[in-house]
Amino acid sequence: MVLDMSPIARKPSAVRLATSDALRQLPPRRPEPARVEGDVRWELVDVDRYEVREGEVVLGYVDVVGAVFVALSGPWYSAAVELRQTLRFDEAIQTLRSTRRH
């Protein structure tokens, strides 16, 4: 079976162009590696999941869902609680750090 798109469907629409421009402006999905001298470190533990630690204490996890970073608080992923969704990885880390101090 062969599908032939009409010439109108092949042309990029204004919505499609605007969407692609917006996607190019999003922050990168992969964060910079944690600094060696930093007190908070993160490690990729699954395809799109980072474990965040402060020293030896697990603060929580950051899931990468599309262009969104989801901050989950708790030492075990299966029981972690979602705190925030953000477009910036550093904001997700700050969210987890702020819950540790309270």
Side-chain angles (χ1 to χ4, degrees):
M1 179 174 175
V2 176
L3 289 174
D4 187 24
M5 293 175 50
S6 72
I8 294 172
R10 282 187 237 139
K11 283 184 156 182
S13 68
V15 172
R16 196 175 313 152
L17 289 174
T19 302
S20 64
D21 286 341
L23 288 173
R24 278 193 284 280
Q25 294 173 11
L26 288 172
R29 286 185 72 209
R30 295 288 179 207
E32 295 293 323
R35 292 186 304 271
V36 174
E37 69 276 359
D39 55 341
V40 174
R41 303 182 59 92
W42 52 88
E43 177 185 353
L44 189 64
V45 293
D46 203 348
V47 175
D48 282 333
R49 180 172 304 135
Y50 291 86
E51 181 181 75
V52 181
R53 292 176 173 263
E54 188 169 33
E56 294 300 314
V57 177
V58 176
L59 299 178
Y61 299 86
V62 176
D63 277 348
V64 183
V65 183
V68 177
F69 298 103
V70 181
L72 303 154
S73 177
W76 300 285
Y77 182 77
S78 61
V81 177
E82 181 179 327
L83 299 178
R84 181 176 189 187
Q85 295 182 11
T86 179
L87 295 175
R88 296 184 47 186
F89 185 79
D90 59 323
E91 288 179 5
I93 296 296
Q94 282 303 109
T95 299
L96 292 174
R97 288 187 78 188
S98 67
T99 59
R100 170 89 166 129
R101 295 196 175 103
H102 298 307

